[in-house]
Amino acid sequence: MSDRTTLVQIEDLTVKFPGNPAISHVNLTVERGEILGIVGESGSGKSVTALTLMGLLADDAQICSGQILFDGQVMAQAGRAQDKALYRRYQGARMSMIFQEPMTSLNPTGKVGAQVEEMLLLHTDLPKEERRRKVCERFAAVGLKSPEILYGCYPHQLSGGMRQRVMIAMATILHPDLLVADEPTTALDVTIQNQVIALLKEINEREKNAMIFITHDLNLARRICDRILVMQNGQVVESGRTEAIFEHPQEAYTKRLIAAVPKRKRGEEAVVTQQPPVVEVAHLNVFYPKQKTGFFKKNEKQLVVSDANFVIRQGETLGLVGESGCGKSSLSKAILGMNRDITGEVRHASVRPQMIFQDPYSSLNPAKTVEWLLTEPLRAAAARDDAWKMTADKRRELVCEMLRKIGMDESYLHRKPSQLSGGQRQRISIGQALITRPALVIADEPVSALDVTLQAQVMDLMKKLQREMGVAYLFISHDINVVYRMSDRIMVMKDGRIIEQGETKQIFEAPQEAYTKLLLAES
Amino acid sequence: MAYQSIRLFGKKIITLIMTLFLVSVAAFLAFQIIPGDVVTAILGTEATPEREEQLREELGLNDPPLVRYTHWIGGVLKGDFGRSYRYSKSMNEMMPVAELIGDKLPVTLWLAVLSVLLIIVVSIPLGVFWVRSKNRILDAVLNVLTQTTMAVPSFFLGILVTYFFGMVLKWFTPGGYVSYRDDFAGFLRYLIFPAISVALPKIAMTARFLRNSMLTEQSQDYVRTARSKGCSSRRIMYGHVLRNALMPVITFLGMIIAEIVAGSIVVEQVFGLPGVGRLLISSISNRDFPVVEILILYITAVVIIVYFWVDMLYRVINPQISKQ
């Protein structure tokens, strides 16, 4: 049935959750030693496929057709109850998984060493000392320093990158035949992302295990995978060797996905005119209160942004790139006036800037309707400034106008955020920010939580609104490609300092700083 | 780490002292403001003005409030809690508050200890059992049962317990209180039933709370990780979920414990237990201020100290807190 080289064979697999099918008639094979990429947007069924293979589906999910073979052994089959005991023998030992969220995938109350050791406890008879030694060895093998100390650490004491390394150590400690990595780097910074990808690739080459790499990021899939499987709406759209998929995509959907990847090519040239500035920042230092270190010592401050100098001009987009923790958000808070512990100068040309946040799921009040959410900034403005006082009818008119501008219509007025898709929610956030016609909008990673195609749509919308309304954007992102696509000028930030700024073209073609070159090389 | 813990401990102690000080001022002031004359309360309305004035002088009621407060708090700090206006030790001597309370405190404390033990021993296994049982009928039964138990006021539960265990099963004699001085075992046996009345509603609450907490934890990402390692559901439950689920439950238990230790007033009344709860009620209606003031200080101290220990325990089992 299966030859020597085939490790996983999924045949005609259909999985249903109560009510709706999650994946239908999926076929795939994984050869020993290869990396198979499963690419698709969220909701395309890529995670469900992996979870079904791993035997981790929720109890209410049901396999309606097909079967899963692992190394010739039937693991799951339609119409048969899941053999939990069989799966428990295989899980961890022969097939293991790395999850997307390193922040939440480890037990917060368990020491990381013990959590990795649990694998050995479950699947081997090694004595305690031996187990501990192996765990430390494994920590070292995945590039974690001082494993002995790390063994006794709790997850919250580690950075995201370290936690993901711990997860990888855990998943590979028993040298499984199959490693399933579900968006393992999505939650990480670019540089960390690259280290983790390199590590996974290295493990694959060293141990010759098969890997399923699930991602929405085509660039990433291209770099690591031997073969790629494209999924959409629970079905396999296309599969083939990586180069073949990228160079000669057959299906329209695949072509669209590839086209949506932000490339370093700008459609339109930047309008370089000397518009008046909407905000001028001079010698800005931003501080954060630090935890008291001694009982009688005074509160100390930590300098998080030092000596920032820049202007944002009317109608332009200034991109701000840097890793998390570099001070991007602190800088934006200082400009917004949310952090007043600053020295230096922030001069606004007009009223307060508005803000678009990263997470469209949690930044909208779930109890309110779209209409309420969009009128809220108007009410707030009216409370500050009599010029914004208006009748309820007038408000509704403005809201409807804004809805049309953001590509929605009146029919959404009474919906709540839970009845909107992620893209629609982010449109509402944008509408909220723009409805009071601010001169400047600060967008903090506005597309990072979205799929590639949605990302492209939201960025296009933001540009369209900029042309129509003449608003300036401070566009913050860790993704240099996204920034490239949006910005007229770019600032690069590292450790609280703006290390480089200039025209987008100039930054990309002739970066001056080593760090900028690194960022460009890694994306 | 050790240094930090000591510093934290020190801080908490300072907070405790400051709170007690403020409460002592508040308790003292309250009785300056509320209407009702102590002297009339003691002597009745028939006494002569001379006798009244004499008593006023004796009790120091003619001094300015600040002097009286300083005098009182100075005494408290030296261990002299003052004397009751109401209870007398012999013909000519009023009962010292310390003795009065010292006599009742063991009753309340033992009732609290038994109740808390009952709560912990029953509610946690019950909560775990509830989550693990996949039986829908059992789930519904437990749901209704705990809901009802939670809603029943403890005095009514007390009456039910007295009726059922006392009158029907005759496991104890209602009203037949045995002093801990005479027969400690008998005393404890008698206390079990009041303890059940105190504990039952709290058991229902805690079990429900734990169940909900565990259900929430079960859908966390780390549980999926544990499953992907090949953990059995049993191991996931006890090795991963329970510990995390207990975090909020501990805070909740702390609140319950403080409440119980501070006095299960109603239940003491129903079972005729001579505890501080009863003493507090009678002292308030008798305007026996020295007793009430000390009891208020005692209740405050208990609440703060219990919270303090809960906080410490929380730090031990929740590594994320101890970091800060």
Side-chain angles (χ1 to χ4, degrees):
Chain A
M1 208 153 57
S2 67
D3 53 86
R4 276 237 174 96
T5 57
T6 305
L7 180 65
V8 178
Q9 196 165 355
I10 294 181
E11 291 167 353
D12 190 40
L13 184 69
T14 302
V15 175
K16 276 199 174 112
F17 288 115
N20 51 325
I23 52 172
S24 51
H25 308 291
V26 168
N27 288 291
L28 71 84
T29 55
V30 185
E31 311 286 322
R32 285 175 197 280
E34 77 162 349
I35 302 182
L36 172 73
I38 303 184
V39 178
E41 301 181 8
S42 55
S44 62
K46 50 194 196 314
S47 289
V48 176
T49 309
L51 291 173
T52 315
L53 168 62
M54 285 293 300
L56 293 176
L57 279 183
D59 289 339
D60 55 359
Q62 198 196 346
I63 298 179
C64 299
S65 80
Q67 59 177 2
I68 298 173
L69 294 161
F70 184 88
D71 201 13
Q73 163 80 43
V74 180
M75 297 299 290
Q77 205 166 34
R80 223 175 57 175
Q82 195 195 43
D83 186 347
K84 290 201 170 149
L86 173 73
Y87 254 112
R88 276 211 298 278
R89 275 207 311 282
Y90 275 65
Q91 284 164 340
R94 299 202 59 191
M95 44 163 82
S96 63
M97 188 152 177
I98 301 164
F99 299 95
Q100 175 171 3
E101 283 295 333
M103 297 296 167
T104 54
S105 294
L106 292 166
N107 185 341
T109 56
K111 291 178 179 162
V112 294
Q115 294 190 48
V116 176
E117 198 183 308
E118 193 176 25
M119 277 284 201
L120 300 173
L121 198 68
L122 287 164
H123 299 286
T124 67
D125 301 321
L126 295 173
K128 195 167 176 12
E129 297 307 308
E130 187 72 2
R131 287 203 303 263
R132 194 186 165 103
R133 197 182 54 77
K134 279 205 116 172
V135 170
C136 291
E137 257 176 38
R138 197 68 209 167
F139 277 159
V142 296
L144 286 162
K145 293 187 188 77
S146 37
E148 284 291 338
I149 298 170
L150 194 72
Y151 187 93
C153 285
Y154 289 97
H156 70 272
Q157 295 170 306
L158 311 180
S159 68
M162 285 165 86
R163 287 187 222 190
Q164 203 59 305
R165 279 176 197 269
V166 169
M167 280 296 292
I168 293 172
M170 185 155 84
T172 57
I173 194 164
L174 291 167
H175 309 288
D177 302 317
L178 175 71
L179 189 59
V180 179
D182 188 356
E183 304 259 12
T185 60
T186 310
L188 303 172
D189 277 331
V190 199
T191 43
I192 313 283
Q193 222 174 56
N194 284 288
Q195 291 166 10
V196 169
I197 295 292
L199 174 65
L200 286 173
K201 193 142 194 169
E202 183 200 318
I203 289 173
N204 171 260
E205 275 160 17
R206 199 171 54 204
E207 302 185 1
K208 305 274 178 248
N209 53 3
M211 196 185 301
I212 296 180
F213 189 87
I214 298 170
T215 182
H216 68 276
D217 186 338
L218 281 163
N219 276 336
L220 215 55
R222 186 176 198 169
R223 274 167 50 202
I224 186 170
C225 303
D226 302 315
R227 280 194 307 129
I228 284 180
L229 193 88
V230 181
M231 285 189 79
Q232 185 196 17
N233 300 331
Q235 281 171 321
V236 176
V237 176
E238 189 168 357
S239 73
R241 312 281 323 159
T242 305
E243 316 85 69
I245 292 272
F246 270 89
E247 274 152 35
H248 311 287
Q250 300 297 311
E251 299 294 321
Y253 179 72
T254 316
K255 286 178 189 160
R256 204 144 51 93
L257 264 187
I258 292 172
V261 173
K263 287 195 195 73
R264 292 183 196 157
K265 205 194 299 167
R266 280 176 71 85
E268 64 232 70
E269 267 311 304
V271 204
V272 194
T273 42
Q274 284 298 51
Q275 295 285 347
V278 289
V279 63
E280 284 174 89
V281 173
H283 303 294
L284 177 70
N285 293 310
V286 182
F287 300 92
Y288 253 60
K290 213 176 173 177
Q291 279 278 311
K292 275 198 285 189
T293 45
F295 200 70
F296 296 104
K297 281 185 195 152
K298 271 172 64 179
N299 272 343
E300 282 175 18
K301 286 174 181 178
Q302 194 177 3
L303 186 65
V304 283
V305 175
S306 61
D307 199 26
N309 293 288
F310 60 91
V311 289
I312 304 175
R313 294 183 184 280
Q314 195 182 320
E316 76 163 351
T317 303
L318 178 63
L320 177 56
V321 208
E323 297 184 5
S324 62
C326 74
K328 300 186 302 257
S329 295
S330 302
L331 181 61
S332 63
K333 276 186 191 162
I335 296 173
L336 274 172
M338 281 160 66
N339 182 354
R340 292 176 192 277
D341 199 357
I342 56 174
T343 63
E345 205 175 348
V346 178
R347 201 182 311 127
H348 289 283
S350 63
V351 285
R352 247 165 219 259
Q354 293 290 317
M355 181 111 193
I356 301 171
F357 295 94
Q358 171 172 7
D359 191 347
Y361 290 90
S362 55
S363 58
L364 295 177
N365 185 338
K368 301 294 184 184
T369 61
V370 165
E371 182 178 8
W372 191 94
L373 290 166
L374 284 174
T375 47
E376 171 79 347
L378 293 173
R379 281 192 298 272
R384 273 200 312 272
D385 181 0
D386 286 343
W388 282 99
K389 287 220 161 63
M390 60 180 79
T391 60
D393 285 346
K394 175 78 176 141
R395 264 193 205 136
R396 175 174 282 232
E397 200 180 299
L398 278 181
V399 166
C400 292
E401 190 192 323
M402 184 44 80
L403 272 174
R404 280 190 293 274
K405 274 189 183 155
I406 57 176
M408 293 161 80
D409 56 49
E410 289 85 348
S411 64
Y412 289 95
L413 276 179
H414 301 292
R415 295 216 199 164
K416 293 193 171 166
S418 58
Q419 295 161 311
L420 302 174
S421 69
Q424 286 170 335
R425 288 182 217 204
Q426 202 56 312
R427 280 167 196 266
I428 297 293
S429 303
I430 293 171
Q432 273 190 318
L434 288 172
I435 197 158
T436 52
R437 301 191 156 268
L440 172 67
V441 166
I442 297 174
D444 192 355
E445 305 262 8
V447 295
S448 306
L450 303 174
D451 284 328
V452 247
T453 42
L454 280 178
Q455 262 184 10
Q457 285 171 17
V458 168
M459 285 193 283
D460 287 345
L461 173 70
M462 285 181 68
K463 279 202 217 162
K464 178 189 131 217
L465 292 168
Q466 185 172 45
R467 280 196 301 276
E468 288 172 14
M469 306 174 75
V471 60
Y473 292 128
L474 175 61
F475 189 93
I476 303 173
S477 180
H478 67 274
D479 186 341
I480 199 156
N481 289 328
V482 166
V483 170
Y484 183 89
R485 186 166 169 154
M486 276 301 289
S487 313
D488 303 305
R489 289 187 302 123
I490 289 179
M491 287 196 295
V492 182
M493 226 175 149
K494 184 174 193 288
D495 300 332
R497 291 184 175 278
I498 295 170
I499 55 166
E500 188 163 7
Q501 58 176 311
E503 301 285 327
T504 303
K505 209 173 160 195
Q506 175 202 330
I507 296 271
F508 269 79
E509 283 168 10
Q512 302 297 310
E513 296 290 322
Y515 180 71
T516 315
K517 287 176 191 159
L518 185 73
L519 273 182
L520 287 169
E522 278 175 344
S523 59
Chain B
M1 207 61 207
Y3 165 69
Q4 279 182 338
S5 307
I6 292 166
R7 222 186 58 213
L8 188 80
F9 201 84
K11 265 190 190 171
K12 292 274 176 186
I13 298 284
I14 292 171
T15 319
L16 172 72
I17 293 168
M18 302 250 288
T19 316
L20 282 179
F21 168 71
L22 288 176
V23 169
S24 73
V25 173
F28 185 81
L29 275 181
F31 292 110
Q32 307 302 311
I33 295 165
I34 59 166
D37 184 23
V38 185
V39 175
T40 331
I42 296 174
L43 295 176
T45 44
E46 308 287 297
T48 61
E50 291 76 34
R51 176 76 189 104
E52 282 189 358
E53 189 49 40
Q54 191 198 343
L55 186 64
R56 230 177 271 280
E57 197 59 40
E58 257 175 52
L59 296 175
L61 291 175
N62 288 334
D63 295 334
L66 189 65
V67 174
R68 286 168 50 207
Y69 175 75
T70 333
H71 185 74
W72 172 66
I73 200 77
V76 170
L77 288 179
K78 278 183 282 180
D80 172 15
F81 291 171
R83 279 164 193 276
S84 165
Y85 290 167
R86 199 72 197 175
Y87 294 87
S88 44
K89 200 175 182 181
S90 57
M91 276 301 284
N92 300 317
E93 201 189 353
M94 298 308 279
M95 186 77 149
V97 176
E99 254 176 69
L100 192 62
I101 293 177
D103 199 41
K104 321 248 178 224
L105 204 52
V107 180
T108 304
L109 285 182
W110 278 109
L111 176 62
V113 168
L114 280 181
S115 313
V116 170
L117 276 180
L118 266 176
I119 292 171
I120 292 172
V121 168
V122 179
S123 68
I124 291 175
L126 181 64
V128 174
F129 168 75
W130 194 351
V131 172
R132 283 187 64 94
S133 83
K134 297 261 156 48
N135 188 332
R136 281 177 167 213
I137 298 167
L138 192 69
D139 186 70
V141 168
L142 279 172
N143 202 358
V144 173
L145 213 63
T146 50
Q147 195 82 266
T148 327
T149 320
M150 267 165 65
V152 175
S154 50
F155 77 88
F156 186 63
L157 256 176
I159 294 170
L160 287 183
V161 167
T162 310
Y163 176 75
F164 187 68
F165 291 107
M167 325 263 281
V168 179
L169 294 176
K170 301 211 187 296
W171 286 1
F172 77 114
T173 323
Y177 169 72
V178 188
S179 169
Y180 58 93
R181 290 185 208 283
D182 306 336
D183 174 8
F184 193 72
F187 165 71
L188 283 187
R189 222 175 303 130
Y190 184 82
L191 272 190
I192 286 192
F193 299 97
I196 290 175
S197 315
V198 174
L200 265 180
K202 315 286 185 200
I203 287 174
M205 282 183 213
T206 316
R208 282 184 80 89
F209 196 52
L210 178 62
R211 167 185 176 261
N212 292 343
S213 175
M214 288 184 90
L215 287 178
T216 315
E217 288 298 324
Q218 274 184 335
S219 57
Q220 298 290 318
D221 287 348
Y222 68 83
V223 173
R224 190 181 55 185
T225 308
R227 283 176 66 202
S228 82
K229 290 169 160 178
C231 287
S232 63
S233 60
R234 200 185 165 75
R235 194 180 168 86
I236 289 173
M237 189 64 73
Y238 294 110
H240 293 274
V241 172
L242 186 60
R243 193 181 164 111
N244 285 289
L246 275 177
M247 298 292 161
V249 176
I250 285 172
T251 316
F252 183 67
L253 276 175
M255 281 154 50
I256 286 180
I257 292 171
E259 189 188 320
I260 291 176
V261 179
S264 314
I265 299 172
V266 181
V267 170
E268 283 180 15
Q269 205 68 269
V270 171
F271 285 89
L273 290 174
V276 287
R278 270 181 105 192
L279 181 65
L280 181 63
I281 291 186
S282 63
S283 302
I284 289 175
S285 46
N286 291 334
R287 303 213 156 65
D288 196 350
F289 301 151
V291 177
V292 177
E293 282 161 356
I294 294 295
L295 282 180
I296 289 176
L297 277 188
Y298 154 75
I299 290 170
T300 316
V302 164
V303 171
I304 298 172
I305 291 168
V306 170
Y307 280 3
F308 169 74
W309 284 113
V310 168
D311 194 31
M312 285 292 155
L313 183 65
Y314 205 72
R315 273 161 210 279
V316 171
I317 59 172
N318 188 352
Q320 292 186 52
I321 299 268
S322 49
K323 195 190 164 198
Q324 283 136 23

